[in-house]
Amino acid sequence: MPETRPLLMIPGPVEISPAVLAAVSTPPPSHTSRELIDAFAESLAAMRRVWQAGPESHPFVVAGGGTAAMEMAAANLVEPGDGVLVADTGYFGARMAEILRRLGARVRQVAAPVGEVPPVEAIAQGLAALEQEGPAKALFATHVDTSTGVRLDPEPLARLAREHGLLSVVDGVCATGGERFEMAAWEADVYLTGSQKALGLPPGLALLVASPRALETRARRSAPPPSLYLDWHAWRPILAAYEEHRPSYFSTPPTQLILALRTALREILADGIETRIARHRQAARALREAWEVLGLVPVPVRPEIAAFTLSALRLPPGVDGSLVGRILERGVAVAGGLHPELRGTSFRVGHMGYAVTRPEMLLRTVRAVGEALADAGRPVDPRAAEAAAAAILDEAPQPKVAG
Ligand code: PMP
């Protein structure tokens, strides 16, 4: 059969490996079957390793999008009147603030211009102002904002939160498994994600790991969270039973996705989390080189704050949003701009999960973008761009480089 579907290089959902596809394509096992329970138990243990979380931390996995994971973190930790600070780097920071407002929190946002990250000092000042207004509870940040392609460094923010006696919650939906995050070492409290990004699964799972401090905060609430489905206390005994290989039930899990989760996490851990992140860094370096050869300018204003998991790129002069369609005609799906200030003037390419283990997918993407730009009238050399990316992808990944 000829390949008719495009290569999926949007910033999620992404291409998945043949083994993950096979796992998700099985007839659904019962949620109380040995097969499912074993897959669940292995996945929960593997999550702690991928998240680099401590043994006392608690992983949660429920059916839902990344937004459900955001809601779960907020609903368990935040009570009406609590002061919270959101380090806002784009579309998803604004969403987090909206979720927190709906829970009755007192929300202060510290935003940065599009393509920038707020400096730690500005966030520290924001926290001081928040604390002056009343008791503060938590600091929320987006690791990689998918609308701007900007990566914020969560480590100093987790430290800042600790210094203020606050919890730190990091949205890793476009980062977990593709960007460095050391939950235990950094003493971060919640790191959350969705399955369809750097973990390399189809959409449908909301995942997070909560620290012991976060769990205590839930336990000390004056009233349960408004959502029963997202309540950690509804899920804890169920997941604890799964970890002990016993059947249990609260709400039916998407059983094939749990089989696929085990497979995807096995693949990441077989590579090693450090190597997997190094592959993302290498893919990003290769594509940045190619974009430069093609004259494309990234939205992030400095290379140090550009994500490894996606490229957000400004459309060059004289080229409009129809570029995305021209790229698709060449068999590669990329995404248009999402941030209100970038719609119609930018496009985005995902490079996370399985694709970073397949140089030919990355090179095919460079070729399609280059040819589409030439088609749109830009004086570019797609082959030179491909060669520039290939030279970097030929190197061995460097797991120990910082960043
Ligand atoms: N946060 C970030 C950083 C995201 O990229 C996304 C999805 N693009 C979300 C949250 C929301 O995830 P979902 O669309 O799965 O609800």
Side-chain angles (χ1 to χ4, degrees), residues 11 65-68 70 92 95 142 144-146 171 173-174 194 196-197:
T67 306
M70 296 164 80
F92 291 102
R95 175 171 297 185
T142 316
V144 168
D145 198 292
T146 325
D171 170 352
V173 176
C174 202
Q196 74 275 25
K197 307 257 186 176

Side-chain angles (χ1 to χ4, degrees), residues 42-69:
E42 187 179 328
S43 298
L44 295 172
M47 277 175 70
R48 285 198 188 87
R49 291 177 60 198
V50 170
W51 268 242
Q52 304 193 46
E56 301 305 317
S57 64
H58 204 305
F60 292 89
V61 181
V62 299
T67 306

